[in-house]
Amino acid sequence: MNKFIFQTKINFKRIVFRNKSFFFFDMLLPIVFYVLYTKILVTGIPASYLKVWNEDYLVSMMIYACMLGGIITTANTLLEDQMSNFKLFVTLSPLSNLQYYTSMAIVLVTLNLVSSIAITVVAIIVNHVTLSIGLLIALILVNLLGTTLLILIGVLISFVKKASTVNLLTNLIVFPLAIISGLWWPIKLMPTWLQSIGKLMPTYQLSVIDKNVLHQTPQHIGSFINLFIWFVIILAILLLASKIQKRKGIVTQ
Amino acid sequence: MTILEIQHVNKTFGKRVVLNDISLQIESSSIIALVGANGAGKTTLINIILNLIPKDSGQVTFLTKNNWKQITGVMMQDNIALHRITIKEIINLTRSYFNHPLSYEELLSVSGLEDHQNSLMTGLSGGQKRRLTFALALAGDPKVLFLDEPTVGMDSNSRNAFWQEIDHLKKSGKTIFVTSHYLEELENIADRFLILQNSIIAFDGTIKQLRSREGQSLIEFDSELNQMDFKGLQDIVSLNVVGHHFQIITNDVNQLLAELTPYLKAIDNLQIKQATLDTLLLNYKENTHE
């Protein structure tokens, strides 16, 4: 257990506390977007709807932060471990793969937790969003569940082992996914065919669950089924990719 | 006592056979040097032993009751350079992986980085990273140490210190499996040489056995004559020519010198040496190609 705790402690230092890009991308970017879309670019939004908009946009940016942390930070951190030969070093050490990935997941989930809290604090201060502690905890728990799925996507991307391809894939996935899921602007503004695709995305369904939690409206089972199906699909691809990688060997000849 | 057993290991990459029915037994408390030309399959064999790449067939068995990772230390060709982590942190992290680690002070001393404990790993020079990678390989006080090209990037002082440390480790009962392109360094320290050539272990024995088989002495000279002019010499084990520089390996240096007497006017810079591993290996390659 000692090695697992030590590994987790070191991971916190290198991925969170000493990593400026984490503060910029995972925390600052969603906060800047939140302030921008709720304080500056709000012309045309009726004053009566503004309160709901501020709350809904908080949910959107919480999920967006989870996407940045879950997909981009996960993929880049795992890639960095491969490029610096640390993954190989761990493979040759008595630390198991399960301990290595679990330790990493703890850090990344905590990172998303911190991002979610930071955005909520900004929403409370800047837009006077009222949110009970119970609701906030419920929102964060739902998002952490969603983060697990996003982390799996990040792990999958890291399997390509090439920095340029990892960057390309994360950008190709994160930003279009954020847009078509209606995280940056309402999905209703998009063409119907794009809305249909967007509604199939796990991040859209996660925002639906979050908004129902926030507005205390009844949940739809369909959203949970959607997330479950995505989870099974991503996990299956991940296991398959991992099997192929194992067959090829951990090191390239 | 045998600590590692390799039985009938085969490995191909596409149609290229890299390892063909390799079988070995590694005894404890010895230094085994795995040598061969670039691409001969040295790293592939180490990777298969360490389960980093799958073998096509065969078996690799560490004869230990413990998890084999607890008793092995590995220094791969590439250094570890983890971002945003200090020397002190990586040493202590590595120590935490093992049941009976060496002390932090011992490992720091091996790395020679006493003045850089709080520096980031990524800030170290290539040679410093290499020494740190070596110290990390020793963290678990391993019984078996795998060193793949360990001295690449080290300056001569560091290399000397490194081989002294290896000698010390051997005396303390460690088994060391090493590959290196600096053959003259291996020559002085290894107990057993394995020459990997044409996908098989072409030679397995001591440097003494290799010399008695492949020739004891090396005669070197420069000459404007060509290789064919020396064809009549009887006591040649091998003749190697690079430009006008001739290298002859022989078992009977006196007889060969007598045979060379008629050519002395056409020969400059004549030198007689004990055959080095480098020349023996080159000779070995030449013989096999013939």
Side-chain angles (χ1 to χ4, degrees), chain B residues 85-104:
Chain B
I85 288 299
T86 66
I87 314 302
K88 190 175 183 175
E89 286 164 344
I90 191 71
I91 290 178
N92 280 327
L93 174 67
T94 312
R95 290 182 65 246
S96 77
Y97 293 157
F98 295 95
N99 296 338
H100 305 290
L102 290 182
S103 73
Y104 171 74

Side-chain angles (χ1 to χ4, degrees), chain B:
Chain B
M1 194 180 78
T2 305
I3 198 154
L4 170 66
E5 214 167 52
I6 298 158
Q7 290 171 304
H8 308 293
V9 165
N10 289 288
K11 179 70 187 174
T12 51
F13 288 117
K15 286 181 180 172
R16 193 167 76 91
V17 179
V18 180
L19 300 174
N20 182 12
D21 198 28
I22 303 286
S23 289
L24 284 174
Q25 282 197 332
I26 304 297
E27 309 300 322
S28 57
S29 308
S30 59
I31 299 183
I32 300 103
L34 180 64
V35 295
N38 281 339
K42 304 184 294 289
T43 300
T44 301
L45 181 57
I46 290 186
N47 285 342
I48 284 176
I49 295 171
L50 298 172
N51 202 24
L52 293 175
I53 56 168
K55 50 196 176 298
D56 297 343
S57 59
Q59 212 170 347
V60 174
T61 320
F62 282 90
L63 302 171
T64 171
K65 285 175 191 162
N66 303 319
N67 172 2
W68 67 270
K69 290 181 178 177
Q70 282 287 350
I71 62 147
T72 53
V74 184
M75 183 182 186
M76 297 304 273
Q77 276 189 31
D78 297 315
N79 297 321
I80 314 147
L82 196 57
H83 295 263
R84 301 178 291 280
I85 288 299
T86 66
I87 314 302
K88 190 175 183 175
E89 286 164 344
I90 191 71
I91 290 178
N92 280 327
L93 174 67
T94 312
R95 290 182 65 246
S96 77
Y97 293 157
F98 295 95
N99 296 338
H100 305 290
L102 290 182
S103 73
Y104 171 74
E105 288 73 22
E106 274 178 279
L107 295 172
L108 189 66
S109 161
V110 170
S111 74
L113 297 170
E114 290 90 340
D115 298 333
H116 299 81
Q117 310 185 46
N118 296 313
S119 306
L120 292 175
M121 285 181 84
T122 41
L124 297 177
S125 71
Q128 287 174 322
K129 278 180 193 158
R130 204 78 196 118
R131 292 206 309 265
L132 177 63
T133 304
F134 175 55
L136 298 179
L138 296 179
D141 193 14
K143 283 185 178 166
V144 190
L145 198 55
F146 290 90
L147 309 170
D148 195 1
E149 298 294 344
T151 53
V152 168
M154 285 186 192
D155 58 32
S156 57
N157 285 341
S158 300
R159 288 221 298 269
N160 286 339
F162 173 82
W163 291 115
Q164 274 173 22
E165 182 63 34
I166 292 294
D167 193 39
H168 169 73
L169 289 169
K170 179 192 162 186
K171 283 172 185 156
S172 68
K174 311 282 184 209
T175 305
I176 299 159
F177 200 89
V178 59
T179 75
S180 175
H181 278 108
Y182 297 104
L183 298 178
E184 71 281 5
E185 294 174 346
L186 295 178
E187 198 174 322
N188 300 327
I189 199 152
D191 302 302
R192 181 177 166 195
F193 289 85
L194 304 171
I195 299 180
L196 196 54
Q197 197 178 81
N198 297 333
S199 325
I200 58 163
I201 301 286
F203 176 82
D204 181 352
T206 62
I207 185 81
K208 205 174 163 186
Q209 287 167 332
L210 186 62
R211 279 200 182 107
S212 66
R213 181 171 149 177
E214 295 300 315
Q216 302 281 354
S217 303
L218 171 71
I219 296 181
E220 285 186 310
F221 56 83
D222 297 322
S223 176
E224 294 293 326
L225 297 173
N226 63 46
Q227 195 169 349
M228 293 305 288
D229 296 323
F230 295 98
K231 202 153 172 117
L233 300 178
Q234 297 296 308
D235 286 290
I236 291 181
V237 173
S238 82
L239 170 63
N240 186 39
V241 189
V242 180
H244 296 298
H245 187 73
F246 287 71
Q247 284 188 324
I248 299 176
I249 295 180
T250 178
N251 275 320
D252 191 341
V253 70
N254 294 329
Q255 182 60 38
L256 187 66
L257 282 174
E259 288 178 47
L260 279 174
T261 312
Y263 302 93
L264 281 180
K265 279 186 182 169
I267 287 175
D268 293 317
N269 304 324
L270 183 79
Q271 292 180 61
I272 303 164
K273 299 173 181 171
Q274 189 177 42
T276 60
L277 181 59
D278 224 347
T279 38
L280 288 172
L281 195 64
L282 183 68
N283 165 43
Y284 212 95
K285 196 163 61 182
E286 297 295 321
N287 281 349
T288 317
H289 283 304
E290 274 168 13

